[in-house]
Amino acid sequence: MKKWLNYLPTLFIITIVISLIAYSSTGNSVRMNYTEFQKLPAGTDFQDSQMTISSTVINVEGTYKNGDKTVNYSVLVPNTDENMAWLQERLTSDGGQITVEDPSTNGMWLSLLGQLIPFLLVGVFFYYMFTKMGGAGGSNKAFEFSKSKARVESNVKTRFKDVAGCEEEKEEVKEIIEYLRSPKKFTDMGAHIPKGVLMVGPPGTGKTLLAKAVAGEANVPFYSISGSDFVEMFVGTGASRVRDMFKTASKSAPCILFIDEIDAVGRQRGAGMGGGNDEREQTLNQLLVEMDGMEDNNGIVVIAATNRPDVLDPALQRSGRFDRKITVNLPDVKGRREILAVHARNKNLAPDVTLENLAKRTPGFSGADLANVLNEGAILAVRNKETAITMNDLDEAIDRVMMGPAKKSKKYTEKDKWLVSYHEAGHAVIGLKVEDADMVQKVTIIPRGEAGGYNLMTPREEKYFHKRSEFIAQITGLLGGRTAEELVFGEISAGAVNDIERLTEIAKNMVRVYGMSSLGPIQYADPQGNVFLGRDYTQGANYSAGVAEEIDKEVRDIVNSCHKECKRILTENRALLDLIAHNLFEHETLTNEEITNLMKYGQLTDPNAPITVEVVETKKEVVEQPPVPKTMDQKDINKALDELTKR
């Protein structure tokens, strides 16, 4: 019915147009009264006429000649014997014929309906417009607020092969798939499948994708809704939507009910500076009741996802509701390799692209980040009019995802360029000379985002636990840029603000969280804080002012000792610092291989590597260079630096 109402304005306009055309087509017809008909001249030439005789009047329709013009006429004549005789004589005087019709055959009801149709169309049109403006039918829409906004997919195409990098997480949900496929096996054994599964983890790790894969593998309907879809401005809307959602899902059981970002509605009740939100808490209460009131093994499995499990209400995570908690972490190098393989299925990669190397260059990347890297690489390949995605495109894509696009149009002054070159070279030297420091992959002085330069450093190997020496090495590496400025120019700039922020956080955590100081293995700060007041709002309230002073002293001692060590390393390797800085000033970007060659040979290329020279057409000749020492002493580095300066 609603579909046809949408076409009502068009039908109304068409009816009006047809009526106007019909009216214009009868424009030559003359409607006379009885007196006018009597006054027509005696010699009027009447042609064929039709008479419809009723009990009181005679309806006469026909044509007559008025000179060369034919006129259509109609007239009502009183029904008397005299008028009947007069009409027969008058209309047949010039050979005209009279046709008498029975009034019962005219379809009185059809005629009446024809007169009513225009009024009915006008009435329906105004009713349609009234309901659109929220009038008479607007009251019905009030009931739609209580309806669930959950979207359903009956035929989910996602499978486990589309989800990579989380093998352990897949194992945790296999029982749910088996239960949805054949629940009788579990009921016969007396087993109760978890009613709810809570997936937690950083953004972009594939929690939603994994939930869809569960529905796809089990071949059951997949209901999905966001936590923010429950709460509206109307009181009681969220609770009624929860009831309707479970009622609708029960009709399609077995099925998966997925609630994304459940922290929007599942926050701890009664928390915060201003108290709780009554409407949100009512919605949460109804959700708790529905999950607790669900019958065992009724076929509905609730899967929820969040990246803030610390704010959830404890009642939501108790047994009987969200029984199983699955942590979806950032992928390791093996997982990143598998994720890249999934997203590279439809990508045209060049032969020089190896997903293994790409996975090693992207530690800390989530599945969404890796998909974005490949997509950005494909966009860059199209922009450069290439036939395949090269490794250079993917290197640039990694930089764009981490720091933003390069601002090549931004030009440094010569003094600022030297400052940035030495700053980034300082980070690179510490990365080369400190054993536990992160490995330098790429150094550039081309501005990206808000950074004047960019130093890509990755861990030498991925670890789950970090030692104190590794934290010390990280702080020393972060101080490399600022210390290089101090050593070379005798002053410091504001370019190290992000480095200082990061190293301060590491030093504070070493003292207050990890117990890596002389204060002992005591935690002086809640690593989560009060999430409703701000993470740092209430930190420090659980220790005295004297302890706070000791914490500040320990943090300062750690940073000062790292600064002293950083200055010692850069002073001892001043020639290498100058060499890297000069090459950065000249070439603007250096790779890991080029930096290593500068440290070993004093130049960007390896002199021991065979050089391929093209001679005739496609033939190639390999010329072996004379061997040189594998390492260079300080004298050789100074010599190479002098030659570079002369150029």
Side-chain angles (χ1 to χ4, degrees):
M1 183 63 183
K2 291 183 179 179
K3 181 179 179 180
W4 286 105
L5 286 177
N6 293 332
Y7 295 106
L8 186 59
T10 304
L11 295 174
F12 182 74
I13 294 173
I14 293 175
T15 304
I16 293 177
V17 172
I18 293 175
S19 300
L20 291 175
I21 294 174
Y23 178 78
S24 63
S25 65
T26 59
N28 295 329
S29 180
V30 177
R31 184 75 179 179
M32 298 181 182
N33 56 37
Y34 178 51
T35 304
E36 292 174 340
F37 184 69
Q38 284 182 321
K39 291 181 178 179
L40 288 176
T44 302
D45 184 9
F46 287 97
Q47 298 181 353
D48 295 341
S49 303
Q50 296 86 31
M51 289 195 306
T52 304
I53 303 173
S54 64
S55 60
T56 57
V57 294
I58 303 171
N59 184 20
V60 182
E61 295 179 354
T63 59
Y64 68 88
K65 289 283 189 180
N66 185 8
D68 295 335
K69 186 177 179 182
T70 300
V71 180
N72 297 320
Y73 75 94
S74 63
V75 62
L76 293 176
V77 179
N79 187 2
T80 62
D81 294 338
E82 293 81 5
N83 286 338
M84 177 65 71
W86 174 72
L87 284 173
Q88 289 180 353
E89 180 183 356
R90 181 75 185 270
L91 297 176
T92 59
S93 60
D94 294 325
Q97 299 291 327
I98 297 177
T99 303
V100 180
E101 296 182 358
D102 187 354
S104 62
T105 62
N106 282 341
M108 181 181 63
W109 292 108
L110 186 61
S111 176
L112 181 63
L113 184 62
Q115 295 177 6
L116 291 177
I117 283 178
F119 296 99
L120 290 174
L121 287 174
V122 172
V124 173
F125 174 76
F126 280 105
Y127 174 78
Y128 168 82
M129 298 300 294
F130 193 49
T131 55
K132 279 293 184 182
M133 291 186 294
S139 59
N140 295 330
K141 294 185 179 181
F143 297 100
E144 295 181 5
F145 284 102
S146 63
K147 299 296 183 183
S148 169
K149 291 187 176 182
R151 297 166 293 278
V152 60
E153 292 183 51
S154 299
N155 188 16
V156 181
K157 301 295 184 182
T158 308
R159 297 292 186 269
F160 273 172
K161 61 183 177 62
D162 302 315
V163 185
C166 50
E167 299 303 320
E168 293 80 5
E169 291 80 359
K170 292 179 186 178
E171 291 293 330
E172 289 293 320
V173 296
K174 281 186 177 179
E175 291 88 357
I176 296 174
I177 297 173
E178 189 65 24
Y179 162 69
L180 293 172
R181 286 177 177 173
S182 53
K184 192 174 184 302
K185 291 196 307 185
F186 291 85
T187 55
D188 292 345
M189 191 63 66
H192 299 273
I193 204 69
K195 292 182 179 179
V197 178
L198 182 64
M199 293 186 178
V200 301
T205 50
K207 299 182 290 293
T208 304
L209 188 64
L210 183 58
K212 291 190 73 173
V214 173
E217 291 287 341
N219 195 24
V220 295
F222 180 76
Y223 288 86
S224 61
I225 191 171
S226 173
S228 60
D229 288 336
F230 288 110
V231 182
E232 295 278 359
M233 62 180 292
F234 300 99
V235 177
T237 301
S240 62
R241 285 181 178 175
V242 171
R243 288 191 294 268
D244 184 70
M245 179 180 66
F246 279 91
K247 180 180 178 182
T248 304
S250 63
K251 298 177 182 179
S252 302
C255 64
I256 296 289
L257 183 57
F258 178 69
I259 305 175
D260 196 12
E261 304 296 343
I262 194 174
D263 53 271
V265 70
R267 288 178 176 237
Q268 184 175 344
R269 291 166 291 183
M273 298 181 68
N277 181 304
D278 289 338
E279 173 61 16
R280 180 181 54 76
E281 291 186 2
Q282 287 183 23
T283 306
L284 175 58
N285 291 339
Q286 187 62 44
L287 180 61
L288 297 175
V289 170
E290 290 291 339
M291 293 194 68
D292 198 43
M294 290 166 55
E295 297 178 1
D296 291 337
N297 298 328
N298 66 350
I300 301 177
V301 176
V302 183
I303 301 179
T306 180
N307 49 39
R308 301 184 63 191
D310 52 317
V311 306
L312 295 180
D313 193 274
L316 199 63
Q317 303 181 64
R318 76 153 173 84
S319 298
R321 288 177 180 141
F322 284 102
D323 306 84
R324 184 169 297 182
K325 181 177 178 181
I326 299 176
T327 302
V328 187
N329 285 317
L330 293 171
D332 56 10
V333 63
K334 180 176 177 292
R336 292 195 298 273
R337 169 67 178 80
E338 296 172 353
I339 293 173
L340 289 169
V342 170
H343 292 291
R345 290 173 184 171
N346 62 340
K347 303 291 191 301
N348 185 18
L349 302 179
D352 67 329
V353 176
T354 57
L355 299 182
E356 189 70 32
N357 291 337
L358 193 61
K360 292 179 180 178
R361 298 186 186 187
T362 51
F365 276 46
S366 66
D369 294 332
L370 296 172
N372 196 20
V373 167
L374 288 176
N375 185 61
E376 287 288 343
I379 293 174
L380 291 172
V382 174
R383 183 183 299 175
N384 298 332
K385 298 180 180 179
E386 299 168 348
T387 58
I389 306 172
T390 64
M391 201 64 191
N392 290 333
D393 296 328
L394 295 175
D395 282 337
E396 175 63 20
I398 293 173
D399 295 340
R400 292 170 71 90
V401 171
M402 293 184 66
M403 301 294 295
K407 299 180 179 179
K408 297 182 179 179
S409 60
K410 184 177 180 180
K411 299 297 182 183
Y412 287 119
T413 63
E414 185 174 352
K415 185 177 180 181
D416 288 342
K417 190 173 181 180
W418 278 116
L419 181 69
V420 176
S421 298
Y422 270 99
H423 181 101
E424 302 301 334
H427 289 302
V429 171
I430 298 298
L432 292 170
K433 295 298 181 179
V434 177
E435 181 180 357
D436 291 325
D438 292 341
M439 192 165 53
V440 180
Q441 294 288 352
K442 185 178 182 180
V443 182
T444 179
I445 60 173
I446 299 175
R448 285 185 181 273
E450 298 181 359
Y454 173 48
N455 198 320
L456 175 60
M457 304 178 73
T458 61
R460 299 179 187 271
E461 58 181 2
E462 296 187 34
K463 300 179 180 180
Y464 289 100
F465 302 101
H466 296 277
K467 298 179 294 185
R468 185 179 187 277
S469 59
E470 293 171 350
F471 286 125
I472 294 294
Q474 287 184 26
I475 296 174
T476 306
L478 291 169
L479 285 168
R482 184 181 187 275
T483 308
E485 294 177 15
E486 181 183 353
L487 187 64
V488 176
F489 301 100
E491 58 179 352
I492 54 177
S493 69
V497 58
N498 182 253
D499 298 332
I500 295 174
E501 179 182 355
R502 291 166 58 191
L503 68 90
T504 303
E505 185 67 22
I506 295 173
K508 284 183 177 181
N509 286 337
M510 289 177 64
V511 177
R512 300 193 303 176
V513 179
Y514 305 134
M516 295 179 177
S517 69
S518 61
L519 296 179
I522 302 174
Q523 190 174 89
Y524 293 102
D526 183 0
Q528 295 180 351
N530 191 323
V531 295
F532 300 101
L533 302 178
R535 302 229 175 230
D536 296 326
Y537 189 85
T538 57
Q539 287 187 3
N542 55 349
Y543 50 81
S544 65
V547 173
E549 184 177 354
E550 291 186 36
I551 291 174
D552 292 339
K553 182 178 181 300
E554 288 292 333
V555 171
R556 192 180 303 112
D557 289 344
I558 290 174
V559 175
N560 288 339
S561 63
C562 291
H563 181 234
K564 186 181 299 184
E565 177 66 12
C566 180
K567 192 170 185 179
R568 182 191 68 80
I569 294 172
L570 292 180
T571 302
E572 293 179 356
N573 296 275
R574 175 61 187 271
L576 180 60
L577 175 68
D578 293 337
L579 186 62
I580 295 176
H582 279 71
N583 278 275
L584 265 178
F585 186 88
E586 182 178 354
H587 301 286
E588 294 188 339
T589 301
L590 299 177
T591 64
N592 171 269
E593 184 180 2
E594 290 173 336
I595 295 173
T596 304
N597 289 336
L598 286 175
M599 181 178 68
K600 290 183 176 181
Y601 314 114
Q603 62 185 44
L604 296 177
T605 57
D606 184 357
N608 293 324
I611 302 176
T612 302
V613 182
E614 293 188 7
V615 285
V616 181
E617 296 180 355
T618 59
K619 295 182 180 180
K620 297 183 180 181
E621 179 180 302
V622 178
V623 180
E624 296 289 343
Q625 297 293 327
V628 298
K630 290 290 183 183
T631 57
M632 299 180 66
D633 55 18
Q634 192 67 36
K635 182 178 179 181
D636 294 328
I637 293 178
N638 290 333
K639 183 178 179 181
L641 183 60
D642 292 339
E643 293 178 357
L644 182 64
T645 306
K646 290 178 183 179
R647 280 187 284 161

